[in-house]
Amino acid sequence: MSGYEFFADGARVSFGGDEFVFVEVCEGMDLAQALRIQAITGELARRELPGVLDVAPANASYLVRADPDVLHPRELVRALARLHDRFGEAGSVALDTEIVEIPVWYADPETERTCLKFRDRHQSPTETDIAYTARINGLASVADLVAAHTSAPFIVTFPCFKPGNTECVQLVPRERQIQAPKYLRPRTETPARAVAHGGAFTVVYPTAGVGGYQLLGRSPVPVADLTQQTPGFETSKVLATISTLLRFRSVPGEEYEQLRTDSREGRYRYRRAPVRFALAEFLADPAGYPRTLEAALSC
């Protein structure tokens, strides 16, 4: 099958052979559209439609793989069109999810040591990543950037390329979004559990490796455990799945070291709580509504 089709909301549909249906909902990152994608794909997964083999949501699009011997691609497209109609308005998107706290030592020695090794690949040859990110966002200091980054929770919009490495967008008005370019050329080194920012997205690197996002700090606790031996990973190998809310909390070096020891020795317990995220309520009060979600961590 070939060519494009369009849903009533303007989403563009294309086919990859007989197995894959690719739906482009928007061309750029838009939080409301990203959450519509989560609602559409989440409902599709819950329905367990015979023939649907896999559903992969992203920030501006999603991909569905189906067995054409069980479900004809045209039938799948008709089912998707109905879901697009159902979740056509912001008021229709409500996600049952959870909020999880991630402690972070911002401007820690390890991420600063790492970023200073790769200034030849960076836009600024003299600043650390976190100082550079603060400056280009019009903030007076690293402390101001930390305050902005911890001022409201983030929501996971894309599961990214390693287990546990999730892109998330801060729940703030668009003019308050932190923005930062990726490195000119990727680093060949990134510390495990590094917290970094690229574009409009924050990530926590689950393991050491290459990377290109601006390094802001490091968390003492893991975001993935493929063995599921760490407390908090009993039901999932990753801490955050799509639509999870992440609240970053700044901690000093001494507390980081204690939390790191507690985590390694199995004593750390993640602060987490179930929440229902309503897109319409966020759009109506983007400054106040996230605080009501954070309050769930205090219950």
Side-chain angles (χ1 to χ4, degrees):
M1 305 182 74
S2 62
Y4 297 111
E5 297 182 8
F6 293 88
F7 290 151
D9 62 0
R12 185 170 72 172
V13 183
S14 56
F15 299 92
D18 293 332
E19 288 187 79
F20 296 95
V21 174
F22 181 59
V23 182
E24 298 172 272
V25 176
C26 52
E27 292 187 355
M29 175 60 197
D30 180 275
L31 181 59
Q33 295 301 324
L35 297 180
R36 278 191 68 226
I37 289 169
Q38 294 191 24
I40 290 165
T41 56
E43 180 62 22
L44 178 64
R46 280 189 293 273
R47 290 187 179 186
E48 297 183 343
L49 198 63
V52 171
L53 302 177
D54 198 10
V55 183
N59 288 315
S61 61
Y62 65 92
L63 181 71
V64 182
R65 182 188 177 203
D67 182 347
D69 293 330
V70 178
L71 179 64
H72 193 279
R74 296 289 180 190
E75 286 294 328
L76 174 58
V77 167
R78 282 192 281 271
L80 295 176
R82 291 191 291 271
L83 289 175
H84 277 247
D85 290 341
R86 173 178 170 183
F87 296 105
E89 300 296 330
S92 63
V93 176
L95 305 169
D96 290 312
T97 181
E98 71 170 348
I99 184 168
V100 184
E101 182 182 270
I102 304 289
V104 183
W105 184 7
Y106 289 92
D108 69 291
E110 185 62 19
T111 56
E112 294 211 342
R113 179 196 65 78
T114 301
C115 74
L116 290 173
K117 289 176 60 178
F118 297 97
R119 302 333 279 169
D120 61 322
R121 306 174 185 226
H122 196 273
Q123 292 84 352
S124 175
T126 58
E127 299 169 287
T128 61
D129 289 5
I130 193 169
Y132 168 76
T133 303
R135 177 175 62 80
I136 64 171
N137 280 278
L139 299 170
S141 66
V142 166
D144 288 341
L145 177 67
V146 173
H149 197 260
T150 57
S151 66
F154 289 67
I155 187 166
V156 174
T157 59
F158 183 52
C160 221
F161 305 109
K162 284 184 179 179
N165 187 7
T166 47
E167 291 186 348
C168 56
V169 177
Q170 195 170 25
L171 294 173
V172 293
R174 194 176 187 90
E175 64 272 15
R176 285 176 50 198
Q177 287 284 348
I178 298 168
Q179 299 280 347
K182 298 179 183 179
Y183 274 42
L184 300 174
R185 291 180 292 126
R187 298 180 302 274
T188 56
E189 180 184 339
T190 303
R193 307 181 313 283
V195 177
H197 198 87
F201 304 102
T202 283
V203 301
V204 183
Y205 288 88
T207 58
V210 299
Y213 283 22
Q214 307 292 336
L215 296 171
L216 305 184
R218 198 178 191 196
S219 175
V221 299
V223 293
D225 178 9
L226 301 187
T227 68
Q228 295 185 260
Q229 299 299 306
T230 303
F233 293 87
E234 293 84 359
T235 61
S236 175
K237 295 178 180 180
V238 298
L239 183 66
T241 57
I242 196 163
S243 82
T244 299
L245 303 181
L246 299 179
R247 175 185 180 269
F248 295 99
R249 179 174 69 90
S250 178
V251 300
E254 297 82 0
E255 185 175 353
Y256 172 95
E257 296 296 347
Q258 183 60 59
L259 293 176
R260 184 74 197 118
T261 298
D262 291 344
S263 178
R264 283 197 300 262
E265 296 179 359
R267 293 191 301 269
Y268 182 78
R269 296 296 181 270
Y270 291 87
R271 292 186 66 200
R272 60 204 310 172
V275 292
R276 184 172 177 82
F277 178 81
L279 178 57
E281 293 187 47
F282 169 69
L283 296 176
D285 184 14
Y289 180 61
R291 288 196 289 271
T292 68
L293 298 171
E294 285 187 323
L297 290 170
S298 301
C299 297

